[in-house]
Structure formats: C-alpha cells, structure tokens
Amino acid sequence: MAAASSPRGGKMERAYMHVVQPIEKTHRGRQHDSVESAKAAWDKAGVCFVETFVDAALDAAARRLISTRGLRRVGLAAKADFELVQWERADDSRRDMRRQELDDALRRLNRILVVDHGLDPVPLCEPTAAPFSASGAKARPRRRGETPPGPAPGAAVSTPVGDGILLRARKDGIYEVALDWRLPGNQA
C-alpha cells in the first residue's frame, strides 16, 4: 500500500484522498470500531483523507513536504479555481456549501500563514449564494441583549436593496449583509 516501495526503489511519503464516503466505510475503516481509530490506521499507512486541496496542503506543510510559500500558493490556486467554476443555477445551494467548506479551510490556512509565519492571508471567496427569504413569520419582541432570531451567519438572504450573505446579526437587531451587486452577465 502507501508504505510499499516503488519500482524505482523510492518510498511514497504521503497519499491524499478526497473524502467521498465516511472513512469508517472504507476498506481499512470497516475493521475499526471508531472513526478516530480508522483515521489513525490510514494515517499510519501514509494516507490522509481531506475535504479540500487546502487541507491536503496543510497536512503536507506540517510534514515539511511543501514550503510555507507553497502552502500559500495552494490556497490562492484553490480560491481561483473555485471562482472559475461555472455553476448551474440549480446548484446554488451546493455552490454555497462548497464555498463555506473552502473558506473554512482557508481560515485554517490563514491562521498558520499569518500567526506562525507572518505572511499575508489568502482572501476568502466572495459570497455568491442564491438568494432566499428567511421565514416570513412575525418576530416576537426581543429582550434587551438577546440575539435576534433569523438565519444563521453564512446564510443567503434577500434584502430590499439586493441579495447577499448574512455576515452577522447584532444584538441591537441590525443584520450585517455582504451584498452581491454584480451586473448581469457576472460583470464587475
């Protein structure tokens, strides 16, 4: 498997596998009682399961298989590749889920780049989710200091001035929204 020698006499140091099913359902994972023990077994064999290219790069950098600057380049390339994907209109919720997944990975990457190495962070992806209106039910009066009910941060929302992504809900009842004001045809 991963630890086996290649025909040229070298040894593979690490293999990165995209998670497409629960790890406990994989060949080696079925032999274990928990996800953690299955991951540990795969890790011992030199296999790392990842959700994004950024996660693979983070693991590779931690093992000194790539440089910190290489790590940053992977983050920039992953963001650029994501923004080039031509999503179908019906895939809006899937696109937003993948954007959030990538942004989470970029936040982990940025912590290492900025805090540990003093490098510039990789910008997060622009919110581009399909708009939807939050529940039309009437809100009950809030108590002082209570967070207003409504969609969670990261949710797509529709406002009187345009569609966007909810960044946060303040205690005073004001919602901060990143508006998506692109012209028709995705022109800037």
Side-chain angles (χ1 to χ4, degrees), residues 9 31 51 57 64 107-108 116 122 134 140-141 149 154 158 163 180:
Q31 304 165 4
E51 297 286 337
R64 300 189 189 278
R107 284 183 190 95
R108 291 189 297 275
D116 297 349
V122 174
R140 66 171 176 75
S158 183
D163 303 320
D180 185 8

Side-chain angles (χ1 to χ4, degrees), residues 119-131:
L119 296 174
D120 291 335
V122 174
L124 301 181
C125 297
E126 293 294 321
T128 56

Side-chain angles (χ1 to χ4, degrees), residues 47-89:
V47 177
C48 177
F49 286 91
V50 297
E51 297 286 337
T52 68
F53 288 121
V54 175
D55 293 323
L58 286 166
D59 182 85
R63 296 172 182 281
R64 300 189 189 278
L65 299 174
I66 64 172
S67 69
T68 306
R69 294 194 187 280
L71 175 63
R72 186 171 191 281
R73 283 192 302 271
V74 170
L76 290 168
K79 178 185 183 293
D81 286 351
F82 179 84
E83 291 173 347
L84 289 174
V85 173
Q86 298 295 311
W87 298 92
E88 295 292 325
R89 187 73 179 152

Side-chain angles (χ1 to χ4, degrees), residues 32-47:
H32 296 273
D33 296 332
S34 70
V35 175
E36 292 77 25
S37 65
K39 281 184 179 179
W42 280 112
D43 190 59
K44 185 177 179 182
V47 177

